[in-house]
Amino acid sequence: MKKSAHSLLLLLFALLTAGTEAPASSIPETLNYQLTWTGVKIGTSTLATVTTGDGIEITSKVRSETWSAPFYKVDDLETSKLDRDGKGYALHSYKMKLREGKNDWYRAASVNRKSKRFEFVDLKSFEKSSTKLVEPAWDPVSCMFYLRQLPLTVGKEVEVNVLDKGKLNRIKVSVLRRETVHTPAGSFKTIVVAPNMDIESQGLFYARGPLTIWLTDDARKVPVMIEKRIKDLFRDGIPPYLQQFTPESVRNNIPRMETIKAVLVGGSY
């Protein structure tokens, strides 16, 4: 696969704003996902949230299937820590270690509210950088935690701050519609949102291109399904090792060929 698709996964996008009050019933929480491409299982992902003293810690893990290791292995870990801030929470720090195919990224970030800076460090080269802290803002993992606290209205847009790769990104998120979806974890009435992911980042679900998320249409707003399309993913043709998994009818369906899906299969929520 080409570099623009440098991840068989990585759950969730970057969407953020201010500290938020979380329902006590949602913590601790574990969400387990199955990742598929053209209907073929390519990996698993887990998003877990636990309390840590006065704050919370959110961990995202992604693993590819064993069969994919010879040509594209994925082993990703991201951790976000939030501090209690009044009735809600505020970002404290973020660390990521992504191993995807021949690529790997290892970096950390933290909030320095005294100097009003968001500080980054590459944990391979130890190169440091920082950007102005424009609050409210979150990292690519805690953003989903925040999104689930927002009141969402169909037809409305939300503009959010995304801090990633040493810079501030502003993303518009459209609330599209209500829809019932069926997953291995059950059938859910959902509200569908689509963030504009025109940003520079790492990981498939953070890359440029259409991203759609189905959240349960209730107070919990559990993410039950995520779809990411990467346009021109196979611009140079489908690699021979993938053709065995894709019937001709599927190969002729370009939107489907360019789409990765994460579907809820279980957990505690």
Side-chain angles (χ1 to χ4, degrees):
M1 291 186 187
K2 67 176 189 175
K3 187 175 181 180
S4 65
H6 50 236
S7 165
L8 283 179
L9 274 311
L10 224 205
L11 242 214
L12 304 178
F13 66 105
L15 186 168
L16 2 159
T17 46
T20 181
E21 184 172 2
S25 60
S26 67
I27 304 173
E29 176 186 76
T30 302
L31 303 174
N32 298 321
Y33 298 88
Q34 176 175 282
L35 310 170
T36 62
W37 169 73
T38 68
V40 177
K41 183 180 179 182
I42 58 174
T44 58
S45 180
T46 300
L47 188 67
T49 304
V50 298
T51 57
T52 55
D54 290 335
I56 62 175
E57 182 173 287
I58 307 170
T59 303
S60 172
K61 296 180 180 180
V62 180
R63 301 287 186 275
S64 58
E65 289 293 285
T66 303
W67 64 263
S68 70
F71 54 87
Y72 205 89
K73 182 178 180 179
V74 177
D75 186 2
D76 293 344
L77 174 64
E78 294 178 279
T79 303
S80 177
K81 295 183 178 181
L82 309 182
D83 291 328
R84 172 66 74 174
D85 182 23
K87 293 183 178 180
Y89 295 91
L91 178 61
H92 176 274
S93 60
Y94 165 73
K95 181 181 289 187
M96 57 94 91
K97 190 171 186 178
L98 310 185
R99 295 178 178 176
E100 304 176 353
K102 296 180 180 180
N103 305 303
D104 66 275
W105 301 275
Y106 188 20
R107 66 175 183 266
S110 60
V111 174
N112 186 332
R113 289 190 167 83
K114 185 176 181 179
S115 62
K116 297 184 179 180
R117 305 290 292 179
F118 198 70
E119 300 173 343
F120 301 83
V121 58
D122 186 312
L123 295 175
K124 293 177 64 179
S125 66
F126 296 101
E127 181 180 353
K128 296 181 179 180
S129 62
S130 69
T131 189
K132 182 180 179 180
L133 179 63
V134 179
E135 293 196 278
W138 306 76
D139 60 70
V141 171
S142 61
C143 60
M144 179 62 78
F145 172 82
Y146 174 71
L147 174 63
R148 294 173 60 187
Q149 321 306 320
L150 292 176
L152 302 174
T153 303
V154 173
K156 300 291 185 180
E157 280 188 345
V158 178
E159 187 175 86
V160 298
N161 294 330
V162 178
L163 288 164
D164 191 28
K165 288 198 71 176
K167 65 180 182 180
L168 174 70
N169 302 278
R170 294 187 183 277
I171 293 179
K172 289 184 178 181
V173 181
S174 299
V175 184
L176 302 180
R177 61 186 181 275
R178 285 183 165 83
E179 182 179 336
T180 298
V181 297
H182 307 284
T183 77
S187 297
F188 301 93
K189 293 182 178 180
T190 68
I191 188 161
V192 187
V193 300
N196 180 359
M197 294 302 294
D198 189 21
I199 65 173
E200 182 183 356
S201 188
Q202 277 102 23
L204 181 62
F205 280 90
Y206 303 133
R208 287 182 172 88
L211 175 66
T212 309
I213 301 174
W214 285 256
L215 302 168
T216 56
D217 192 12
D218 55 24
R220 297 175 300 165
K221 294 186 179 66
V222 177
V224 297
M225 189 164 68
I226 302 167
E227 284 190 354
K228 176 68 179 184
R229 180 180 176 185
I230 301 181
K231 293 183 178 179
D232 298 325
L233 178 61
F234 298 109
R235 180 174 52 191
D236 299 326
I238 302 171
Y241 57 74
L242 290 180
Q243 292 185 13
Q244 62 180 309
F245 301 107
T246 54
E248 184 176 354
S249 59
V250 175
R251 293 199 298 269
N252 292 333
N253 186 334
I254 298 303
R256 185 178 178 188
M257 285 293 297
E258 295 177 339
T259 299
I260 302 293
K261 181 183 291 188
V263 179
L264 186 70
V265 295
S268 176
Y269 50 91

